[in-house]
């Protein structure tokens, strides 16, 4: 159990929120984002608990789902996830995000008679599995849904602004910069080699047009092969700083978001896309030339929601730098959703 933060000097008044971590940084960030929003309303003590698992994650997820509907659920799921700790038995709220945390969330909620909240964007979960599912609106109303304008993140635009001057001193520059966060193909968003070549050429053309250099970072998903392809095609003079994750990973998301005046992200990662859109700065999401035609793709529907609500613009390899519209970035407002969450879990402010 990792104690993340305590908001309040009055420990006896703080509500204890336990975040269940399945091992995905992108997912746990969403849970932390909800905890951050709750902490703005009332004293909250937040703890993170890494979920242990005796089986491969996909098998554990499938088997655990079946066991929860059987008389053996208590012993079965308890064996798959040997969850212990008095903190889990005395918490006021359990929060998780990501498919591999769902069984543990349901199991612990039943064990401790504790409210359970699942934060997610695209997973289809049958009704009645948890107390609340917090997600963007895709047009389907349900009694356990609470809609948010976009997924939660830890990004705070005010914090980004406050950190900009010190980061400019750290990087030794106060020049205008653009940031580009690069992932790779996923199960729902597939990029071809030509898409990556076009992206590199977009960066080069953009720099040639306006002279603004780029902060570039790949991710754990990118891989060394794609990184080599991009490095061979990017003009080194267009790059102010680059983090090639497979060679030397750095946690620079907040730094880049602070320093850059425009943010570009490959749209394979909902977390990266949402962090960029939450920055309050103009956000541009790079799509493969085929992805946005996938009307039934839940990932694409989420991205479309960001675009329709003015948080981002999508472009692909056929887009020229001068063709992008100027955006006025704005941060999401979660107040209505948080009010409803507090009401549903029975917390009074």
């Amino acid at each position: 159990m990792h104690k993340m933060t305590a908001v309040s000097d009055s420990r006896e008044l703080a509500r204890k929120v336990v975040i269940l971590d399945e091992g995905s940084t992108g997912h746990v960030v969403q849970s932390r984002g909800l905890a951050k929003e709750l902490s703005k309303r009332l004293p909250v003590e937040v703890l993170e608990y890494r979920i242990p698992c005796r089986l491969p994650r996909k098998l554990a997820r499938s088997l655990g789902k079946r066991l929860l509907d059987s008389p053996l659920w208590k012993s079965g799921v308890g064996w798959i996830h040997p969850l212990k700790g008095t903190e889990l038995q005395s918490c006021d709220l359990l929060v998780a995000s990501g498919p591999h945390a769902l069984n543990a969330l349901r199991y612990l909620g039943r064990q401790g008679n504790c409210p359970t909240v699942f934060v997610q964007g695209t997973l289809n979960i049958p009704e009645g599995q948890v107390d609340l599912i917090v997600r963007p609106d895709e047009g389907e109303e349900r009694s356990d849904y609470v809609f948010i304008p976009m997924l939660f993140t830890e990004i705070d635009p005010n914090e980004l602004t406050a950190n900009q001057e010190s980061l400019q001193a750290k990087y030794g520059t106060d020049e205008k910069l653009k940031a580009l966060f690069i992932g790779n193909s996923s199960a729902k968003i597939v990029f071809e080699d030509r898409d990556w070549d076009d992206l590199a050429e977009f960066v080069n053309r953009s720099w040639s047009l306006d002279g603004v250099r780029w902060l570039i970072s790949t991710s754990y998903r990118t891989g060394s092969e794609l990184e080599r392809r991009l490095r061979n095609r990017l003009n080194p003079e267009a790059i102010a700083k680059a983090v090639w994750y497979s060679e030397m990973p750095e946690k620079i998301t907040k730094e880049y978001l602070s320093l850059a005046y425009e943010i570009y992200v490959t749209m394979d990662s909902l977390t990266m896309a949402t962090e960029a859109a939450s920055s309050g700065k103009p956000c541009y999401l790079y799509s493969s030339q085929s992805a946005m035609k996938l009307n039934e793709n839940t990932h694409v529907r989420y991205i479309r929601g960001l675009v329709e609500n003015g948080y981002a613009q999508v472009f692909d390899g056929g887009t020229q730098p001068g063709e992008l519209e100027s955006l006025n970035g704005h941060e999401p407002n979660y107040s209505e959703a948080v009010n409803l969450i507090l009401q549903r879990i029975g917390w009074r402010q």
Side-chain angles (χ1 to χ4, degrees):
M1 175 72 67
H2 171 63
K3 186 173 181 178
M4 189 177 87
T5 185
V7 182
S8 174
D9 293 329
S10 304
R11 294 294 183 88
E12 70 278 6
L13 298 177
R15 305 291 185 120
K16 185 179 291 185
V17 177
V18 173
I19 292 173
L20 301 180
D21 177 8
E22 66 172 25
S24 166
T25 301
H27 289 146
V28 78
V29 159
Q30 295 174 30
S31 297
R32 290 172 184 164
L34 171 56
K36 179 189 73 174
E37 293 298 322
L38 293 174
S39 73
K40 294 177 181 178
R41 304 299 187 85
L42 70 178
V44 171
E45 181 182 12
V46 183
L47 302 105
E48 294 183 9
Y49 187 86
R50 182 65 177 269
I51 303 167
C53 188
R54 299 182 193 271
L55 300 173
R57 294 205 305 176
K58 287 186 178 180
L59 177 59
R61 177 186 171 191
S62 176
L63 182 58
K65 181 178 179 180
R66 291 184 176 89
L67 284 170
L68 279 171
D69 297 322
S70 81
L72 300 175
W73 76 269
K74 186 173 181 179
S75 58
V77 178
W79 180 85
I80 295 172
H81 302 292
L83 298 153
K84 299 178 182 179
T86 55
E87 299 95 338
L88 297 176
Q89 299 172 7
S90 60
C91 66
D92 298 296
L93 181 66
L94 285 163
V95 180
S97 177
H100 302 294
L102 184 56
N103 287 325
L105 178 66
R106 293 182 291 194
Y107 172 78
L108 289 168
R110 294 185 187 184
Q111 282 280 77
N113 193 28
C114 179
T116 51
V117 175
F118 191 68
V119 184
Q120 60 90 43
T122 61
L123 197 63
N124 184 23
I125 302 170
E127 194 166 0
Q129 299 298 305
V130 295
D131 292 309
L132 289 180
I133 296 174
V134 180
R135 60 177 299 159
D137 186 357
E138 291 187 352
E140 178 189 359
E141 296 282 347
R142 225 170 72 175
S143 62
D144 56 349
Y145 282 174
V146 172
F147 296 127
I148 48 179
M150 66 175 73
L151 296 173
F152 292 112
T153 74
E154 293 183 283
I155 301 303
D156 182 337
N158 294 324
E159 179 185 346
L160 299 180
T161 301
N163 291 338
Q164 186 176 42
E165 187 173 343
S166 63
L167 286 170
Q168 287 174 338
K170 173 183 174 180
Y171 281 71
T173 180
D174 60 357
E175 67 180 300
K176 288 180 65 176
L177 295 166
K178 299 175 183 178
L180 171 60
F181 297 90
I182 302 170
N184 204 336
S185 294
S186 66
K188 293 187 176 181
I189 304 297
V190 177
F191 291 95
E192 305 291 343
D193 286 345
R194 66 170 184 170
D195 295 312
W196 298 120
D197 295 344
D198 288 342
L199 178 60
E201 186 56 30
F202 179 91
V203 170
N204 294 338
R205 289 197 307 269
S206 174
W207 173 76
S208 296
L209 284 171
D210 58 24
V212 177
R213 294 196 298 165
W214 291 74
L215 301 164
I216 293 177
S217 178
T218 57
S219 69
Y220 73 93
R221 180 188 288 155
T222 310
S224 58
E225 182 178 348
L226 176 54
E227 287 182 351
R228 283 194 298 271
R229 186 180 192 94
L230 292 168
R231 295 181 76 168
N232 287 336
R233 287 162 175 78
L234 287 167
N235 186 337
E237 294 184 17
I239 302 173
K241 175 177 170 59
V243 171
W244 304 107
Y245 196 91
S246 68
E247 293 183 3
M248 188 175 294
E250 293 183 50
K251 294 182 178 180
I252 46 68
T253 298
K254 288 185 179 180
E255 291 191 0
Y256 279 18
L257 292 178
S258 293
L259 288 165
Y261 78 98
E262 289 182 348
I263 316 298
Y264 296 74
V265 184
T266 60
M267 63 171 275
D268 50 281
S269 168
L270 291 186
T271 298
M272 291 198 307
T274 306
E275 287 176 337
S278 298
S279 70
K281 299 183 179 184
C283 172
Y284 301 93
L285 305 178
Y286 184 67
S287 168
S288 65
Q289 295 199 33
S290 60
M292 293 305 289
K293 301 173 184 177
L294 304 174
N295 295 326
E296 300 304 314
N297 186 310
T298 54
H299 191 116
V300 172
R301 289 208 300 266
Y302 176 77
I303 296 297
R304 282 205 181 105
L306 294 181
V307 173
E308 290 167 1
N309 289 294
Y311 291 109
Q313 182 180 159
V314 171
F315 71 107
D316 61 25
T319 306
Q320 299 297 319
E323 295 174 350
L324 290 175
E325 298 177 11
S326 297
L327 294 178
N328 294 317
H330 61 285
E331 60 182 293
N333 185 344
Y334 297 104
S335 58
E336 184 177 343
V338 172
N339 286 339
L340 191 52
I341 291 169
L342 292 171
Q343 177 185 332
R344 295 276 189 90
I345 63 177
W347 287 12
R348 293 185 178 180
Q349 300 184 59

PDB file of all heavy atoms in Angstrom, residues 38 84 88 103 177 195 264:
ATOM      1  N   LEU A  38     -12.055  15.260  -6.264  1.00  0.00           N
ATOM      2  CA  LEU A  38     -12.750  15.108  -4.982  1.00  0.00           C
ATOM      3  C   LEU A  38     -12.078  15.935  -3.899  1.00  0.00           C
ATOM      4  O   LEU A  38     -12.745  16.517  -3.030  1.00  0.00           O
ATOM      5  CB  LEU A  38     -12.784  13.633  -4.566  1.00  0.00           C
ATOM      6  CG  LEU A  38     -13.627  12.689  -5.428  1.00  0.00           C
ATOM      7  CD1 LEU A  38     -13.439  11.247  -4.967  1.00  0.00           C
ATOM      8  CD2 LEU A  38     -15.100  13.072  -5.384  1.00  0.00           C
ATOM      9  N   LYS A  84      -4.765  -8.056   0.666  1.00  0.00           N
ATOM     10  CA  LYS A  84      -4.718  -7.972   2.115  1.00  0.00           C
ATOM     11  C   LYS A  84      -4.531  -6.512   2.520  1.00  0.00           C
ATOM     12  O   LYS A  84      -4.243  -5.653   1.716  1.00  0.00           O
ATOM     13  CB  LYS A  84      -3.563  -8.807   2.664  1.00  0.00           C
ATOM     14  CG  LYS A  84      -3.669 -10.296   2.338  1.00  0.00           C
ATOM     15  CD  LYS A  84      -2.465 -11.053   2.881  1.00  0.00           C
ATOM     16  CE  LYS A  84      -2.547 -12.530   2.527  1.00  0.00           C
ATOM     17  NZ  LYS A  84      -1.374 -13.289   3.021  1.00  0.00           N
ATOM     18  N   LEU A  88      -7.616  -1.513   3.248  1.00  0.00           N
ATOM     19  CA  LEU A  88      -8.647  -1.832   2.276  1.00  0.00           C
ATOM     20  C   LEU A  88      -9.992  -2.084   2.951  1.00  0.00           C
ATOM     21  O   LEU A  88     -11.040  -1.952   2.333  1.00  0.00           O
ATOM     22  CB  LEU A  88      -8.243  -3.057   1.463  1.00  0.00           C
ATOM     23  CG  LEU A  88      -6.979  -2.907   0.605  1.00  0.00           C
ATOM     24  CD1 LEU A  88      -6.637  -4.220  -0.069  1.00  0.00           C
ATOM     25  CD2 LEU A  88      -7.164  -1.818  -0.430  1.00  0.00           C
ATOM     26  N   ASN A 103     -12.087  -6.764 -11.619  1.00  0.00           N
ATOM     27  CA  ASN A 103     -12.462  -7.861 -10.729  1.00  0.00           C
ATOM     28  C   ASN A 103     -12.100  -7.556  -9.284  1.00  0.00           C
ATOM     29  O   ASN A 103     -12.892  -7.817  -8.363  1.00  0.00           O
ATOM     30  CB  ASN A 103     -11.769  -9.154 -11.169  1.00  0.00           C
ATOM     31  CG  ASN A 103     -12.380  -9.720 -12.431  1.00  0.00           C
ATOM     32  OD1 ASN A 103     -13.575  -9.619 -12.654  1.00  0.00           O
ATOM     33  ND2 ASN A 103     -11.558 -10.318 -13.282  1.00  0.00           N
ATOM     34  N   LEU A 177       7.888  26.976 -28.438  1.00  0.00           N
ATOM     35  CA  LEU A 177       8.111  25.558 -28.726  1.00  0.00           C
ATOM     36  C   LEU A 177       6.777  24.854 -28.965  1.00  0.00           C
ATOM     37  O   LEU A 177       5.735  25.261 -28.442  1.00  0.00           O
ATOM     38  CB  LEU A 177       8.832  24.876 -27.552  1.00  0.00           C
ATOM     39  CG  LEU A 177      10.257  25.342 -27.249  1.00  0.00           C
ATOM     40  CD1 LEU A 177      10.692  24.839 -25.877  1.00  0.00           C
ATOM     41  CD2 LEU A 177      11.224  24.869 -28.326  1.00  0.00           C
ATOM     42  N   ASP A 195       2.174   6.494 -42.456  1.00  0.00           N
ATOM     43  CA  ASP A 195       1.673   7.452 -41.481  1.00  0.00           C
ATOM     44  C   ASP A 195       2.814   8.043 -40.664  1.00  0.00           C
ATOM     45  O   ASP A 195       2.842   9.247 -40.391  1.00  0.00           O
ATOM     46  CB  ASP A 195       0.654   6.795 -40.545  1.00  0.00           C
ATOM     47  CG  ASP A 195      -0.609   6.338 -41.264  1.00  0.00           C
ATOM     48  OD1 ASP A 195      -1.165   7.132 -42.045  1.00  0.00           O
ATOM     49  OD2 ASP A 195      -1.032   5.188 -41.053  1.00  0.00           O
ATOM     50  N   TYR A 264       0.835  18.400 -29.720  1.00  0.00           N
ATOM     51  CA  TYR A 264       0.486  17.412 -30.742  1.00  0.00           C
ATOM     52  C   TYR A 264       0.674  16.020 -30.139  1.00  0.00           C
ATOM     53  O   TYR A 264       1.664  15.759 -29.452  1.00  0.00           O
ATOM     54  CB  TYR A 264       1.376  17.578 -31.973  1.00  0.00           C
ATOM     55  CG  TYR A 264       1.200  18.897 -32.688  1.00  0.00           C
ATOM     56  CD1 TYR A 264       1.715  20.084 -32.153  1.00  0.00           C
ATOM     57  CD2 TYR A 264       0.523  18.967 -33.902  1.00  0.00           C
ATOM     58  CE1 TYR A 264       1.540  21.298 -32.808  1.00  0.00           C
ATOM     59  CE2 TYR A 264       0.351  20.181 -34.560  1.00  0.00           C
ATOM     60  CZ  TYR A 264       0.868  21.343 -34.008  1.00  0.00           C
ATOM     61  OH  TYR A 264       0.697  22.540 -34.658  1.00  0.00           O
TER      62      TYR A 264
END
